[in-house]
Every structure is written in C-alpha cells, then in structure tokens.
Amino acid sequence: MRKIIIAIDGYSACGKSSTAKMVAEALGYIYIDSGAMYRAVTLYFHEHHVTLSNEREVEKALEGISIEFKRHDDGLHTYLNGMNVEDEIRKMYVSQNVSEVSALAAVRRQMVGQQQKMGKHKGVVMDGRDIGTVVFPDAELKVFMMAEMSVRAYRRQLELLNKQQMLNLDEIVENLEKRDHIDSTRAESPLTQAEDALILDTTNLTLEEQADIVVGMALERILDDSKKLV
Ligand code: DC
C-alpha cells in the first residue's frame, strides 16, 4: 500500500502525541515527536547557559547538538548527544522555556531541515505546531487538534503524575496559556491551522476514539490515492 505523511498540529496537551503514536502503530508508520526535538534543544541551551538573544551563540550551540530517537519497550525515547533525555525534557523547567527557544529562527531552520529528512520516505506520523504548514505543506493528511482548556490541563496533570511530578491545575493552566500565546503569535512559523487541515476537537473523545478517527481518515486518503493511480 502507498505510504503517506500524516501531519498532526495543534495546541499543547490536546492529545496530539498519544494519538499520533497510536495512529503510527496501527498503520505500521514511524512516529516523530517534533516537540521533543525543541525540548531537547531547550535542555541543551539550559545546560550550556546559552543566551537566547545572542544569535551567534545560538548558532554555535546548535552545531553541538545531535538529536535521535531510539525505540524502547515503552515507545521512542529522545536522545541528546547520545544521552537518553526522555524524562528530563518533559520536566516543568523545560516546558517553561521551550516556547522561547522554539521561536528562534535559527532553531527552527535546523529542526525543520531534520524533520523533512525524517519524512523523506513517507510512512510517517509527525506531530507539532507547523508540520502541516511548514515542514510538510504537501502532507496527504493534515489534522488540527484542539480541546477545551480544562480538559487539556487535567490530561497534562495526569501525564505528569504518571511521571511522579505533582503540579496543581492552576500552574498547568498558566503554562499552557503562556505557551499557546507564544506559539501562536511568534514571527517564525506560528501555530496556525493549515487551510486544508481537518479539525478534530478532542474535548469529549477518548484516546482510542481520537486515534480511530485519524486512522479512518488516513485509510480514506490512502485508498483515494491508490484509486487515482489505477
Ligand atoms: O508538543 P510539545 O508540547 O512537546 O512541544 C513543546 C514546544 O515546542 C511547544 O510549546 C512549541 C514547540 N514546538 C514548535 O514550535 N514546533 C513544533 N513543530 C513542535 C513543537
């Protein structure tokens, strides 16, 4: 069967990553978490005290960064310069700085280039903020996910609790609102819905329902494309 690219964009904590993982599994595709790449850069900049306003310093730091994904029993883990940073990049101090880091043009250039290489052979589900607009504007299926803030905050709280991090809902809402604002108002490829993206409101959906809907859309696209080829 012909392979396609599935781009899943949307606000933080709408269930993009979990849905994308399940869709990739169902279709036998590779899942790429583009947010994890921006988080890994943020961690590196934090550890190396990079001044974000200093372009040369940022460019130089980017030369020292290599990001990979490796398969573990519980899914893909993010590696930064050979170190497994999967847990570290999900911590609050990274979440609090990642939007500023991912707004930098040099950072985006580098990450977008790597992401495009990863999708060269198709058969990829990638989630993020600019996947359907900038990284893969020709993706065969684009989904834009959203959900009510209270639901997003609750889901993020549960996710963090599973990682032994206890945060109250107010703190989470504050972080999500700040990131929504920065992500959607930044000059460099802001979070916007691609014109040809299908909107998926996950407020009242379970994870399984969300994934089923996207798999269904993907199969429709794959079959439509196969018919066109006949
Ligand atoms: O998906 P996430 O919450 O882990 O993403 C972390 C941050 O990375 C998010 O606040 C914005 C940024 N990001 C981005 O700018 N572009 C992407 N394609 C993915 C994430």
Side-chain angles (χ1 to χ4, degrees):
M1 221 179 340
R2 210 168 86 90
K3 293 198 177 230
I4 63 167
I5 290 188
I6 303 174
I8 302 185
D9 288 304
Y11 297 98
S12 313
C14 289
K16 295 188 303 294
S17 314
S18 318
T19 306
K21 259 181 233 167
M22 288 172 76
V23 172
E25 189 122 320
L27 297 172
Y29 280 19
I30 295 167
Y31 162 62
I32 298 163
D33 175 357
S34 71
M37 299 171 73
Y38 291 98
R39 287 173 178 273
V41 172
T42 305
L43 176 62
Y44 183 92
F45 283 7
H46 175 83
E47 284 174 347
H48 292 80
H49 310 288
V50 175
T51 312
L52 301 187
S53 55
N54 186 331
E55 246 174 77
R56 282 177 65 104
E57 213 181 298
V58 167
E59 299 259 9
K60 185 108 197 56
L62 283 169
E63 285 169 18
I65 296 181
S66 150
I67 299 168
E68 288 169 287
F69 293 105
K70 291 189 190 170
R71 194 166 287 286
H72 284 234
D73 288 343
D74 60 347
L76 285 189
H77 283 210
T78 313
Y79 280 71
L80 170 64
N81 294 337
M83 289 265 296
N84 186 343
V85 292
E86 186 56 36
D87 286 341
E88 203 60 29
I89 59 169
R90 309 288 164 191
K91 292 193 174 158
M92 205 44 163
Y93 74 95
V94 174
S95 297
Q96 269 157 353
N97 293 298
V98 66
S99 284
E100 274 92 349
V101 171
S102 58
L104 300 173
V107 172
R108 300 211 73 80
R109 253 194 322 273
Q110 180 113 345
M111 293 304 114
V112 168
Q114 289 186 22
Q115 289 153 6
Q116 287 171 334
K117 271 192 207 150
M118 293 172 178
K120 225 168 103 189
H121 302 295
K122 304 224 175 185
V124 157
V125 185
M126 194 177 290
D127 77 315
R129 305 293 185 288
D130 59 343
I131 310 305
T133 50
V134 176
V135 182
F136 298 122
D138 298 327
E140 288 83 354
L141 176 60
K142 299 179 187 178
V143 180
F144 192 87
M145 285 177 58
M146 48 176 60
E148 274 171 22
M149 178 54 87
S150 55
V151 171
R152 292 167 58 197
Y154 177 65
R155 287 180 186 161
R156 182 50 51 93
Q157 189 182 43
L158 275 184
E159 193 181 294
L160 289 167
L161 261 182
N162 282 335
K163 294 184 169 158
Q164 276 74 47
Q165 292 184 63
M166 180 87 114
L167 271 100
N168 67 43
L169 278 176
D170 290 345
E171 266 176 287
I172 296 174
V173 168
E174 196 185 318
N175 174 257
L176 291 178
E177 282 178 343
K178 187 174 163 217
R179 281 166 59 199
D180 282 358
H181 178 71
I182 301 177
D183 294 347
S184 46
T185 56
R186 68 185 176 213
E188 292 293 329
S189 38
L191 167 66
T192 47
Q193 185 200 318
E195 268 179 26
D196 48 350
L198 300 161
I199 297 180
L200 184 59
D201 184 340
T202 68
T203 307
N204 297 306
L205 296 177
T206 64
L207 202 48
E208 286 72 21
E209 287 168 338
Q210 287 163 212
D212 279 353
I213 292 172
V214 180
V215 170
M217 291 172 180
L219 290 175
E220 255 176 50
R221 289 295 150 95
I222 294 167
L223 293 175
D224 276 356
D225 283 352
S226 316
K227 274 188 218 148
K228 275 186 218 148
L229 291 175
V230 176

